[in-house]
Amino acid sequence: SAVISQKPSRDICQRGTSLTIQCQVDSQVTMMFWYRQQPGQSLTLIATANQGSEATYESGFVIDKFPISRPNLTFSTLTVSNMSPEDSSIYLCSVILVFADRGLREQYFGPGTRLTVT
Amino acid sequence: GDSVTQMEGPVTLSEEAFLTINCTYTATGYPSLFWYVQYPGEGLQLLLKATKADDKGSNKGFEATYRKETTSFHLEKGSVQVSDSAVYFCALLQAGTALIFGKGTTLSVSS
């Protein structure tokens, strides 16, 4: 399994400011992702954080709003830029581990960062 | 693209009632299928999974069978408890991509 930590666990921010969320994994992983869970909603994939190259964003998400860094195989950051109240969500980091010997792929989630924008 | 469709909630049951939450999927190839649970105020937890057709995932009295012919992965429990009140998410995972989630079904169990 993978142990994922996120910082901060929660924050309250003013509109127009930016927040950077950190994600640390206890092992090297190739595939790392960022999700958003808006209040009362399901999880929506924001982007795939690619090590050594630009992140791949899903439809509806852009780099200017959600810049992502992935400097190595155990760490990534997601920045929520120029925040508005609509950005109030839980942001989750996630990784996929591949167990080739068992033909398994398993996805693990961090505890989430609860962001409130006022 | 791939997608997951869950029955609309909320589902309201009395304790010891039988639970079914329907989940169907659209996908190319042979995805792995999952049920996740999110208890009030808590993070996402993996409840059970199935990686190929006819596999049955089970955990904590919950079961789901991967039905390729009907592209379904319905969640069932024979006797629910108040502590099962939560939001349940069906999800699929394809090689090379991240989990795709359904919209979630809220279950409320009363004593």
Side-chain angles (χ1 to χ4, degrees):
Chain A
S1 65
V3 177
I4 305 171
S5 59
Q6 288 184 229
K7 289 183 185 178
S9 58
R10 58 178 63 225
D11 207 342
I12 301 172
C13 300
Q14 303 254 350
R15 69 173 67 211
T17 63
S18 298
L19 176 72
T20 295
I21 302 167
Q22 298 180 6
C23 174
Q24 180 75 52
V25 189
D26 69 340
S27 57
Q28 294 187 336
V29 293
T30 303
M31 289 178 278
M32 187 179 279
F33 308 92
W34 287 98
Y35 284 82
R36 178 176 74 181
Q37 186 178 24
Q38 294 176 299
Q41 303 296 313
S42 185
L43 281 78
T44 302
L45 181 64
I46 298 172
T48 301
N50 302 308
Q51 195 266 327
S53 64
E54 203 168 273
T56 305
Y57 290 84
E58 298 297 308
S59 176
F61 298 95
V62 295
I63 187 171
D64 289 347
K65 176 67 176 177
F66 297 102
I68 288 170
S69 79
R70 180 89 192 271
N72 56 52
L73 292 175
T74 64
F75 186 79
S76 177
T77 67
L78 169 75
T79 299
V80 186
S81 303
N82 187 26
M83 287 183 284
S84 67
E86 292 70 37
D87 294 320
S88 298
S89 296
I90 298 173
Y91 292 86
L92 297 108
C93 175
S94 180
V95 302
I96 288 178
L97 296 186
V98 178
F99 303 94
D101 56 337
R102 287 178 278 160
L104 284 178
R105 299 171 73 243
E106 296 192 346
Q107 187 159 347
Y108 299 88
F109 289 85
T113 296
R114 185 178 294 271
L115 171 62
T116 302
V117 184
T118 61
Chain B
D2 296 348
S3 65
V4 175
T5 303
Q6 288 181 237
M7 63 186 286
E8 298 264 339
V11 174
T12 304
L13 295 173
S14 298
E15 208 165 23
E16 299 184 4
F18 185 86
L19 168 71
T20 300
I21 300 178
N22 290 338
C23 171
T24 57
Y25 67 91
T26 301
T28 56
Y30 304 97
S32 296
L33 301 173
F34 302 81
W35 278 100
Y36 282 82
V37 59
Q38 190 171 39
Y39 297 102
E42 298 187 13
L44 205 62
Q45 299 177 28
L46 176 63
L47 180 61
L48 55 83
K49 66 183 179 187
T51 58
K52 60 183 186 297
D54 299 326
D55 267 3
K56 177 185 283 188
S58 61
N59 186 23
K60 298 182 182 179
F62 291 90
E63 293 183 339
T65 301
Y66 189 146
R67 301 285 187 201
K68 187 172 181 298
E69 63 276 12
T70 54
T71 61
S72 64
F73 193 55
H74 304 321
L75 182 68
E76 296 182 336
K77 186 174 186 182
S79 176
V80 294
Q81 306 300 312
V82 173
S83 57
D84 293 326
S85 298
V87 182
Y88 292 82
F89 295 96
C90 186
L92 71 82
L93 183 63
Q94 291 270 39
T97 67
L99 276 166
I100 296 172
F101 287 87
K103 292 189 174 182
T105 303
T106 300
L107 170 65
S108 178
V109 181
S110 58
S111 58

